[in-house]
Amino acid sequence: AAPSVGPVVITEIMYFPTTLAGADEFIEIKNISGATVELYDPLRPANKWRVEGINFILPGTQPQLGPGEIALITQTAPAAFRASHPGIPAAMQIFGPYPDSTLANGGEEVALQRPENLDDMDANKISYINVDVVQYDNSPPWPAQASGGGRSLVRIDPSAYGNDPINWQASLLPNGSAGVIYNYTGPQIVVN
């Protein structure tokens, strides 16, 4: 059987920005399902989803993504990131900052994980289950333009398996494509 994909997936990774103004690391996630996804454990709302690779736990009391909604996880403060990327829709959620960790320029594994308590005897024992994993690299077959060339990695088909370099290409826009809506209907992504 094909691997399970979703309901929330990693759709963009800016791991090696240039030194130009407005060039910041970020990860974009998208709800590819037709229902709202709670980014926390409904039985224990204090336990929220996290992103391994940057050691980041989603903030807020009960974060969630509506159907088809995109959110950004940024290395800088959300207000500063929004100011340096003026094309981001005002309604788009931005979670951050994750200043204590950076994405490795030479490649690493990034995992979007949800919490689950697997021990009925210990409510404080939390396990995390991978929802989506991408192990990117800065060498072929991964796009060279994303390795310090001012482009991000953009997932071609969000509903297809994400941990495969064939499903990724370099962003069409310099400094990544944070907040840009793409058309995923063909072999190449087209900016709408």
Side-chain angles (χ1 to χ4, degrees):
S4 176
V5 177
V8 180
V9 297
I10 299 166
T11 52
E12 186 169 3
I13 303 170
M14 172 55 98
Y15 70 90
F16 193 165
T18 64
T19 56
L20 300 174
D24 303 300
E25 278 189 14
F26 66 88
I27 297 170
E28 180 183 89
I29 59 175
K30 180 178 183 178
N31 176 359
I32 61 170
S33 78
T36 296
V37 176
E38 298 167 333
L39 303 175
Y40 59 94
D41 180 349
L43 299 176
R44 296 172 181 83
N47 299 340
K48 299 177 194 86
W49 288 36
R50 72 180 185 184
V51 180
E52 274 300 289
I54 56 170
N55 303 315
F56 183 75
I57 296 175
L58 294 181
T61 54
Q62 295 182 338
Q64 60 185 14
L65 281 178
E69 187 175 1
I70 294 171
L72 299 171
I73 301 164
T74 61
Q75 185 181 26
T76 57
F81 190 87
R82 196 176 289 280
S84 65
H85 296 79
I88 296 174
M92 183 173 286
Q93 295 182 79
I94 301 178
F95 302 112
Y98 62 89
D100 297 333
S101 182
T102 60
L103 293 164
N105 293 344
E108 76 175 282
E109 182 175 283
V110 178
L112 180 62
Q113 301 175 323
R114 67 178 172 83
E116 185 163 308
N117 182 284
L118 301 175
D119 187 345
D120 292 334
M121 304 300 290
D122 186 353
N124 296 318
K125 191 172 185 178
I126 304 169
S127 295
Y128 285 89
I129 297 169
N130 289 339
V131 176
D132 196 31
V133 177
V134 179
Q135 189 167 355
Y136 68 86
D137 204 345
N138 67 336
S139 59
W142 291 90
Q145 303 92 329
S147 183
R151 309 292 169 146
S152 62
L153 294 172
V154 179
R155 192 171 182 153
I156 295 170
D157 182 356
S159 63
Y161 185 57
N163 198 18
D164 185 347
I166 200 164
N167 197 23
W168 292 85
Q169 72 175 41
S171 63
L172 300 176
L173 303 173
N175 293 334
S177 307
V180 173
I181 306 301
Y182 283 103
N183 173 0
Y184 296 96
T185 59
Q188 293 291 313
I189 299 173
V190 179
V191 177
N192 286 339

